[in-house]
Every structure is written in structure tokens, then in C-alpha cells.
Amino acid sequence: MSINKTAIVLGGGGFIGNHLVSRLKREGFWVRSVDLKYPEFSTSDADDFVIGDLRDPELVKRVLLAPNQQVGQAGFDEIYQLAADMGGAGYIFTGENDANVMHNSATINLNVAETAVHLKAGKVFYSSSACMYPAYNQEDPDNPNCAEDSAYPAAPDSEYGWEKLFSERLFLAYNRNYGLQVKVARFHNIFGELSTWSGGKEKAPAAICRKVAEAKDGDTIEIWGDGLQTRSFLYIDECLEGVRRLMESEFSGPVNIGSDEMVTINQLVGMAMEISGKKLNLKHIPGPIGVRGRNSDNRLIHEKLNWKPNLPLKKGLESLFHWVDAQVQSVKTQA
Ligand code: NAD
């Protein structure tokens, strides 16, 4: 069997991983995907999809062996490590899932870093998160500081963020000590179609689109917190563009991959209402909200990759809203 460049996407049944598999296929890679589950809202474009638990070191050794690879030969050209035990604020900020989040994700990363060296993989991409930034720099909603070099002294506001910080250091240590080529990106709120939109693990954009899609004109919808907390949201296509550009570059990171169009949650809801054409009332209720303000600082990515995301939030949100709306309508029809 003669094949092109090979890539493996760990977490390829998840939101970003599933989109990444499709992108790599379009670029001509032979792609293996590994996850506990198949993608929820589409089929996978992967050449080979392995259902398995990456906490198991034996499974990791098996799947990271590239097709046709013999002992001692070079392994996968590219590994994308996106598998993690995660969810939106309702999952990572309540404290109830802390032990699982830390144990499961750290175990996967330990297995992958060790095996990637052992099996002579080309490059490893690791998806860290903006949640690793110190909470003390994100108290002022108008002026959060998420520059890459502001990470220390470390003080993430969740165990999810602490695990991400540990694992980015882990991959960078394997780079220094074993010459493993690594690329570390800190994602900031990635959103788009084919993402979880209900059930408790959904993120703010999908949750808000669902609430707006389910409501009738004039209804009241509930929003966690006072809605004045700020965030930025990056559309999936731009996230993948950043990932691929980082992978092709000489730069290891860590680097932010996020949007720098900061909005309040109330403004995000306003955009979703505008797209839907509905006028709704907002009721602010207590809920897990995370830090007061967060925005991607894109100076470093621009400097190193000569590129940064620039799609307006409203454009991406339109695509997400229409997709979530279709999901909501199809559930209603089935009920
Ligand atoms: P996701 O939850 O949709 O995907 C993660 C996938 O990992 C899931 O499909 C899950 O089944 C899989 N997984 C979990 N434990 C596993 C195990 N033991 N074995 C095999 N597979 C396992 O999340 P996503 O939004 O696609 O995020 C992908 C990566 O990007 C994650 O590492 C996440 O922490 C990081 N990230 C995402 C965002 C975002 O806004 N989506 C922001 C920052 C960082």
C-alpha cells in the first residue's frame, strides 16, 4: 500500500477533531481518527476510525503505529492530540468533575508524549486552552490580559486549566529532552456547526443559539451571570487554519489561537437574536461563569505566523445559529 503523508487525530470524534479530520483529508493526508465515540452529528471522513480509550497505554501504542510502519522506522508524520475530558462552563466550573478532568486528560497526554517519542512520530500538535491563564489577569472585563507571557505566576481558575498548563509543559519537556517536535496552541472558545448544543457540555455560543432557537418572539430566556462578562469566540474554520499554519511553521508555541473581537455575553445574545429575527427578554440567573473577562491577544501569532484570525463573529454565529435552529426543529418534529 503506498500512502500520502499520514496524520492521526486523537479525539477525532469530538467537535474540533472531526472538523480537523475533514480538513486533513481535503489536504490529501491519510488520516486515522481515535476516540471513545464516533462524531455525534456527522460521519467521519477518516480513512480509519478506531474506537478506543486513550487512557490505556497499550491502545495508544497500537494506534500510534503508522500504517506499514516497521519497528525502528519513522511513525506518523503528524499527531494531533485533541482528546480531553472537557465541556462548557456547566461541566468544568462546578467542581463536580475535577478529579476526572485532571486524571483522564493527564493520563492521555502522558501516554501520547511517551509513545510519540518511542514510535518516532514526526510532529505532535497539542491543544491547550485559554483556561490556563491566571484568573488575576481576567478580573476587569474591559482589559483582560491573555498575552502568552502572562501565564506565570500560574493561577488558572479551574482544574481543567491546571491540567492544560501541566500538559503543555509536559510536551515542551519532551521537546527539550527527547527532541520531539511539538506545537502547542491555546484555543480560545472555538465554535461552529456539529458541536454539542444541548445536554450540559455545550459552550456559550451553542447554548445561546439553542435558547434563542427554542424561544418564541417575546419570550424570556435565562442567561448565566449578569451578562457583562466578556469573551471572544473563534469560528472553527479559522481555528483549523491557525492549527495547520502552526504545524507547518518553525514555531513551537505556546501561542493563542483565538479571536480578538471581544464581546459581552449580552452582546453575543443580541447578535443571536438579530440573526433569528426574534425579540426576547433576558433573565439573568446565577450560574457557573468563569472569569470576568477574556480575550485572545493575537500579537504573537501575527508575529510568528504572519497571520491572525479575522472573520467577524457575526458571520460565524450566523452559520452556527442556522445549524442549531435546524437541530431544534428536527427534535421538535420527532417529539
Ligand atoms: P470535544 O469534547 O468535542 O472533543 C474531545 C474528544 O476527546 C471527545 O470526542 C471525547 O470523546 C474524546 N475523549 C475524551 N476522553 C477520551 C479517551 N479517554 N479516549 C479517547 N477519546 C477521548 O472537545 P473539542 O471542543 O473538540 O476540543 C478539542 C480539544 O481542544 C480539547 O483538548 C479541548 O480541551 C481543547 N480546547 C477546546 C476549546 C473549545 O472552545 N472547543 C477551547 C480550548 C481548548
Side-chain angles (χ1 to χ4, degrees):
M1 178 173 56
S2 112
I3 51 178
N4 311 333
K5 272 182 97 176
T6 53
I8 182 164
V9 180
L10 307 172
F15 162 54
I16 301 173
N18 180 33
H19 282 282
L20 178 60
V21 167
S22 304
R23 162 118 194 198
L24 291 168
K25 280 303 301 170
R26 287 198 297 276
E27 288 188 35
F29 281 81
W30 184 95
V31 185
R32 174 176 295 153
S33 178
V34 187
D35 204 299
L36 292 169
K37 60 172 179 66
Y38 292 110
E40 217 176 323
F41 306 105
S42 72
T43 52
S44 172
D45 290 334
D47 295 279
D48 181 26
F49 200 114
V50 180
I51 292 287
D53 189 336
L54 294 161
R55 290 171 302 180
D56 172 3
E58 294 309 315
L59 181 276
V60 174
K61 283 181 201 153
R62 224 167 46 241
V63 296
L64 284 192
L65 198 66
N68 295 345
Q69 186 184 354
Q70 308 291 327
V71 179
Q73 286 179 344
F76 270 100
D77 296 309
E78 303 191 359
I79 296 177
Y80 293 86
Q81 191 341 54
L82 281 81
D85 190 355
M86 61 105 56
Y91 188 73
I92 58 177
F93 293 129
T94 58
E96 285 161 21
N97 306 299
D98 286 350
N100 283 348
V101 164
M102 297 188 91
H103 173 269
N104 294 344
S105 299
T107 306
I108 295 170
N109 289 317
L110 289 162
N111 287 341
V112 171
E114 180 68 17
T115 310
V117 170
H118 187 66
L119 288 177
K120 300 185 181 353
K123 305 179 205 175
V124 181
F125 172 88
Y126 173 61
S127 53
S128 180
S129 162
C131 288
M132 48 62 62
Y133 283 114
Y136 58 77
N137 279 337
Q138 303 171 78
E139 282 160 11
D140 175 358
D142 297 324
N143 293 297
N145 177 8
C146 292
E148 285 82 351
D149 60 6
S150 71
Y152 299 95
D157 73 333
S158 64
E159 302 300 2
Y160 169 76
W162 278 106
E163 190 282 326
K164 287 291 186 194
L165 193 57
F166 164 77
S167 290
E168 40 174 86
R169 298 188 67 100
L170 173 80
F171 282 105
L172 292 167
Y174 269 79
N175 170 254
R176 289 194 304 277
N177 296 165
Y178 295 112
L180 182 67
Q181 276 201 65
V182 298
K183 309 283 172 186
V184 178
R186 295 171 178 162
F187 289 163
H188 290 242
N189 290 320
I190 315 302
F191 75 97
E193 301 90 301
L194 310 181
S195 62
T196 304
W197 59 278
S198 64
K201 279 196 166 187
E202 65 277 20
K203 312 276 179 47
I208 287 168
C209 286
R210 184 197 70 235
K211 289 177 188 187
V212 172
E214 284 173 347
K216 290 190 299 298
D217 210 25
D219 276 359
T220 298
I221 58 170
E222 293 184 338
I223 302 295
W224 287 346
D226 59 11
L228 299 177
Q229 64 272 33
T230 53
R231 291 293 186 277
S232 69
F233 301 93
L234 183 69
Y235 188 58
I236 182 69
D237 291 1
E238 291 214 295
C239 167
L240 299 182
E241 186 64 29
V243 170
R244 292 292 299 126
R245 282 175 185 257
L246 177 61
M247 207 61 166
E248 297 296 316
S249 78
E250 296 300 310
F251 185 49
S252 287
V255 65
N256 292 327
I257 295 189
S259 160
D260 56 6
E261 183 184 343
M262 188 170 80
V263 292
T264 65
I265 296 300
N266 286 340
Q267 284 170 330
L268 183 69
V269 179
M271 275 188 199
M273 284 200 269
E274 227 176 282
I275 294 166
S276 73
K278 297 176 194 172
K279 285 217 166 31
L280 307 170
N281 306 305
L282 306 191
K283 182 179 173 201
H284 294 284
I285 57 162
I289 56 167
V291 293
R292 274 312 273 168
R294 179 172 289 153
N295 192 16
S296 183
D297 184 321
N298 286 351
R299 286 173 296 175
L300 187 66
I301 193 168
H302 195 221
E303 181 195 320
K304 298 291 183 185
L305 306 186
N306 198 22
W307 174 89
K308 61 179 183 163
N310 63 19
L311 185 80
L313 171 59
K314 180 98 183 276
K315 281 259 164 251
L317 199 65
E318 274 168 14
S319 306
L320 175 66
F321 179 81
H322 293 308
W323 181 79
V324 172
D325 194 37
Q327 305 302 306
V328 168
Q329 301 318 324
S330 99
V331 169
K332 269 191 196 157
T333 333
Q334 284 161 24

